[in-house]
Amino acid sequence: MADSFSKKENFKKKLQKQKEKAIRREDRKNTNDKGKSLDDMIMYVDANGQLTSTPPDNSNASVIDVNNIQLGAAPIQEEDPIKSGIVTFFSDKGYGFITEDNSKENVFFHSNNCIDIIKKGNKVAFEKERSPKGFSAINIKIIR
């Protein structure tokens, strides 16, 4: 049985599309920009911190000392282990909370960790210790 005219035309169109696609693929292979040398990819940073392909004018260039560049995370500065704060809550059961002066964070404490007898409103010095439920205060002393 013979193919109809439209089937032949569709087949011709399909073959033509395949040929065009192969030509485009070869063209992309020949004009591929991947794997450029480093000279082709040099980028500059302008005064606003934006990347540009044009080199900056050296009229207001500043010299950066390579030894001052720090790689990685900033070092953690050691903080004073003795904190100060005010007792904002003290329960008859022997626990309470101290509001830290610097961070205004509430720190839990228990009367077993107190050196002096304290009550609500006292200004105290203490050390923070990590506990399973967060931070807690230890070595609590009244200060004036």
Side-chain angles (χ1 to χ4, degrees):
M1 195 161 158
D3 289 334
S4 66
F5 178 76
S6 62
K7 281 189 178 180
K8 290 179 186 177
E9 288 298 313
N10 288 341
F11 185 72
K12 287 180 187 177
K13 286 180 184 179
K14 187 175 182 181
L15 284 178
Q16 182 64 28
K17 283 184 181 181
Q18 288 175 351
K19 287 178 187 176
E20 289 173 359
K21 189 173 183 180
I23 291 170
R24 286 195 306 266
R25 186 181 315 123
E26 287 298 318
D27 188 38
R28 277 195 309 268
K29 283 183 184 178
N30 294 335
T31 61
N32 188 359
D33 289 340
K34 291 182 181 176
K36 287 185 182 178
S37 67
L38 289 176
D39 296 333
D40 297 338
M41 297 190 308
I42 291 179
M43 298 297 284
Y44 302 96
V45 179
D46 64 3
N48 299 324
Q50 302 295 321
L51 291 176
T52 63
S53 58
T54 58
D57 60 340
N58 290 333
S59 60
N60 59 358
S62 60
V63 178
I64 298 173
D65 184 15
V66 177
N67 297 325
N68 291 339
I69 298 174
Q70 179 181 348
L71 298 177
I76 299 173
Q77 294 181 348
E78 195 65 34
E79 59 184 49
D80 186 21
I82 299 176
K83 313 275 187 205
S84 63
I86 297 174
V87 177
T88 53
F89 176 77
F90 188 64
S91 173
D92 295 337
K93 295 180 181 179
Y95 68 91
F97 292 95
I98 300 171
T99 301
E100 202 174 329
D101 286 340
N102 295 340
S103 65
K104 304 297 182 210
E105 179 181 327
N106 285 334
V107 181
F108 173 82
F109 75 93
H110 194 273
S111 60
N112 293 346
N113 296 326
C114 297
I115 296 171
D116 301 327
I117 297 173
I118 62 169
K119 53 186 172 181
K120 183 178 175 182
N122 286 12
K123 184 150 179 80
V124 293
F126 62 95
E127 295 178 30
K128 279 172 77 172
E129 175 184 66
R130 184 169 292 279
S131 67
K133 293 185 179 180
F135 285 107
S136 63
I138 58 171
N139 300 332
I140 305 164
K141 308 180 229 185
I142 295 177
I143 56 175
R144 291 282 163 201

